[in-house]
Amino acid sequence: MKKNTTKKKSYQPVSGREFPRFSGIKTFFRLPIADMTEDFDIALFGTPYDGGVSYRPGARFAPALVRECSSLGRGFHMSRAMSLFEHVKAADIGDCSVVPIDQQQTYEKIETFANNLIKNNKKFISIGGDHSTTLPLLRSLAKKHGPLNFIHFDAHLDTYPAAWGCEYHHGAFARHAIEEGLVNPKAMMQIGIRGPLANGSDLDIVRKHKVKIFTVDDIRRKNIFDFVKTLPSFSGPTYISFDIDCLDPAYAPGTGTPVPGGLTTYETQQILRALKIKNLVGADIVEVSPPYDSSQITGLAAVDTLFELMCLMAEGIKK
Ligand code: MN
Ligand code: MN
């Protein structure tokens, strides 16, 4: 008979006291590498596809950068007083397989990957990839949960029309998510939106579906602590998609379509900390483009956001 010699995994990050943070094999938050069938709560994975960008490419390299920068990640959230990795078990399950020159095949692979995660009872956070990678994740989750509550951080609406005859680019995923019924537009909000737009009709879709939009002006008009009190709360299955370009290029230069006049990392931290979400079933961070980053500013912003997202997810998981 085969002896079971597997040691029970603790799902703790590698200690920086034992292995300094510049050493070791890079995984998200120095967490163990795991197979999605194992017994843990939150799966972190890369989705290194950027075939849907309309301007600067490079987001395919984001999972590697975020893994590297997350060596500096720590597990205790000060304002939540939460010891994240004692509260939940999280693991790096590697990257979703993609086909860099074929979006259709990539979409199928991402959706199947997410289906398997759901089958294995995992909540998940994807590190993209460009914003076109969010759509197959939403398709998978909506099959299980129905239309999701949807919180979308972005400088852009991403409800734009087809480009060069192609429907599924990174600036159109939110329109498809609404049109396919994957998200509930009445429980959808877009945060960090700012112009310029191609023309005024760009707003037609979000107006028609009554999507709640918080522009940078809306957020700055009050002080941030007063602003976050106006955020609605979310009780059903909820998804957060965080396009790093919601941040000002000063706070996230490494991205494909930067827009000046954006949020600060401090502001997005405060918003993420104030969100009341009972059941965050999935999330992603997209549009980090390492070739355009400087001094890992964008990589570190992504790591910080990843930490906030994991804490939000953990709040809905009973210890
Ligand atoms: Mn976007
Ligand atoms: Mn954007």
Side-chain angles (χ1 to χ4, degrees):
M1 209 162 71
K2 212 173 140 195
K3 248 201 210 154
N4 185 4
T5 50
T6 328
K7 223 175 85 190
K8 204 157 186 333
K9 254 191 205 176
S10 68
Y11 296 96
Q12 291 299 309
V14 170
S15 160
R17 297 274 182 260
E18 201 175 337
F19 292 97
R21 291 182 182 276
F22 46 80
S23 68
I25 298 166
K26 302 299 182 186
T27 62
F28 292 121
F29 274 78
R30 315 187 95 202
L31 287 163
I33 296 166
D35 186 274
M36 66 166 81
T37 57
E38 290 177 37
D39 176 31
F40 61 95
D41 310 297
I42 300 176
L44 308 176
F45 62 94
T47 308
Y49 175 78
D50 62 7
V53 300
S54 54
Y55 194 53
R56 305 197 299 209
R60 66 180 65 180
F61 299 109
L65 175 72
V66 175
R67 282 191 177 95
E68 185 183 335
C69 294
S70 71
S71 289
L72 268 180
R74 308 291 214 278
F76 186 75
H77 194 293
M78 267 179 78
S79 60
R80 291 180 193 274
M82 176 194 276
S83 208
L84 177 63
F85 301 116
E86 280 163 33
H87 191 99
V88 288
K89 290 188 269 187
D92 186 335
I93 58 166
D95 287 351
C96 173
S97 158
V98 298
V99 182
I101 54 169
D102 191 313
Q103 189 177 46
Q104 178 64 29
Q105 285 189 61
T106 299
Y107 268 22
E108 282 161 20
K109 280 171 176 282
I110 296 172
E111 192 174 336
T112 305
F113 192 80
N115 290 346
N116 288 333
L117 282 165
I118 293 167
K119 226 181 281 165
N120 282 288
N121 223 5
K122 299 289 181 279
K123 298 195 172 201
F124 62 75
I125 304 176
S126 160
I127 310 300
D130 71 50
H131 222 156
S132 72
T133 59
T134 300
L135 190 64
L137 296 172
L138 292 174
R139 282 176 179 162
S140 171
L141 283 164
K143 247 185 300 180
K144 153 118 183 161
H145 300 287
L148 302 152
N149 303 328
F150 184 45
I151 303 168
H152 172 199
F153 289 83
D154 210 315
H156 309 91
L157 298 160
D158 288 357
T159 53
Y160 307 113
W164 305 289
C166 299
E167 275 291 337
Y168 298 101
H169 57 89
H170 70 158
F173 93 91
R175 175 170 58 85
H176 290 291
I178 294 170
E179 287 172 355
E180 292 180 25
L182 312 177
V183 298
N184 173 7
K186 292 195 179 67
M188 170 170 173
M189 60 181 186
Q190 298 184 301
I191 301 171
I193 302 297
R194 52 198 185 269
L197 301 169
N199 58 63
S201 65
D202 278 357
L203 286 162
D204 288 353
I205 290 172
V206 287
R207 280 195 184 129
K208 180 177 149 204
H209 293 278
K210 301 197 166 55
V211 173
K212 191 142 194 57
I213 289 179
F214 294 106
T215 64
V216 177
D217 288 342
D218 295 331
I219 296 163
R220 288 274 166 83
R221 212 163 272 135
K222 303 184 175 84
N223 83 48
I224 187 69
F225 299 105
D226 289 332
F227 167 73
V228 296
K229 286 182 201 151
T230 69
L231 291 167
S233 52
F234 297 86
S235 58
T238 303
Y239 190 92
I240 297 181
S241 186
F242 192 95
D243 183 331
I244 203 84
D245 72 25
C246 69
L247 295 168
D248 189 88
Y251 295 87
T255 193
T257 43
V259 185
L263 300 172
T264 66
T265 35
Y266 184 78
E267 283 166 334
T268 56
Q269 275 177 345
Q270 294 310 316
I271 294 168
L272 288 164
R273 287 172 194 175
L275 284 173
K276 299 267 176 298
I277 300 172
K278 286 232 174 75
N279 185 16
L280 184 61
V281 290
D284 62 52
I285 299 170
V286 293
E287 300 286 342
V288 173
S289 179
Y292 294 95
D293 201 7
S294 300
S295 305
Q296 300 187 332
I297 297 171
T298 319
L300 288 165
V303 168
D304 197 74
T305 304
L306 179 55
F307 182 54
E308 296 292 343
L309 291 173
M310 281 193 284
C311 289
L312 267 169
M313 211 167 247
E315 299 241 298
I317 297 172
K318 287 209 178 75
K319 211 180 157 183

